[in-house]
Amino acid sequence: HPKALIITGRGKFFSNGLDLDFMNTRPRQVPSTIESTWRLLARVLVLDCRTVAAINGHAFGAGLFLALACDYRLMRTERGYLNFPEVNLGMRLAKGFAEISKAKVGKLTLREGVLTAKRYGSREAVDAGLVDGECEVGDLLKEALALALAGLPENLGLMAFDPNSLREMKIELYTDAYRALTLGKVESLPESRL
């Protein structure tokens, strides 16, 4: 099972998130768009191999949630921000996005990021625990590949690696996020339980 996944973007964006113009002009399609995004995030969250986000630029909203779904995150220095923009846009997180954030981000950073829409540069993102490391953009893919390869079973010295067991462990680690991303509905009230 020698595989790993690296997710990166092109240009100055890792991912700018969901298309707000689309959502504003097609409100009836918003729930299915968000829920299909949640299903994608759930797949990445519990993928049966190591996943690495190589954050080459801005990661806002759903772009940040995609990075959070990965096991590890590396961010380029000098340019780009991580941001939870929902409070700035007059939106709520919705259950799936809230649960993946709670699963992957510390409480103080989550409070600051979500309630103030703070933009985190790479050094602040490392200090806040949003990313695992930073490097110059020219080294980003090389560093991401090294991190991905380090997680291959043979490089970890694992005796009896089972990809399905890895997937199940991730579900156990991130149960609430996984359930919200796979079973959640956008229309659910913020206080609802799954």
Side-chain angles (χ1 to χ4, degrees), residues 35 38-39 95-96 179-186 188 194:
E35 289 167 13
W38 288 353
R39 304 319 182 248
K95 187 65 76 182
R179 287 176 47 82
L181 293 169
T182 57
L183 303 173
K185 297 290 182 194
V186 171
S188 296
L194 291 175

Side-chain angles (χ1 to χ4, degrees), residues 44-58:
V44 173
L45 181 68
V46 301
L47 202 62
D48 64 355
C49 64
R50 180 173 287 198
T51 57
V52 178
I55 305 169
N56 59 295
H58 301 306

Side-chain angles (χ1 to χ4, degrees), residues 5 19 35 39 55 59 62 73 96 113-114 123 140 163 165 168 178 180 184 190:
L5 174 67
D19 184 341
E35 289 167 13
R39 304 319 182 248
I55 305 169
R73 292 166 293 287
V114 171
R123 174 56 22 214
L140 184 62
S165 291
E168 289 173 349
Y178 182 72

Side-chain angles (χ1 to χ4, degrees), residues 20 23-25 41 80 87 100 138 146 151 160 162 172:
L20 296 179
M23 292 171 62
N24 288 330
T25 59
L41 294 177
V87 72
I100 195 168
D162 177 4
E172 291 167 339

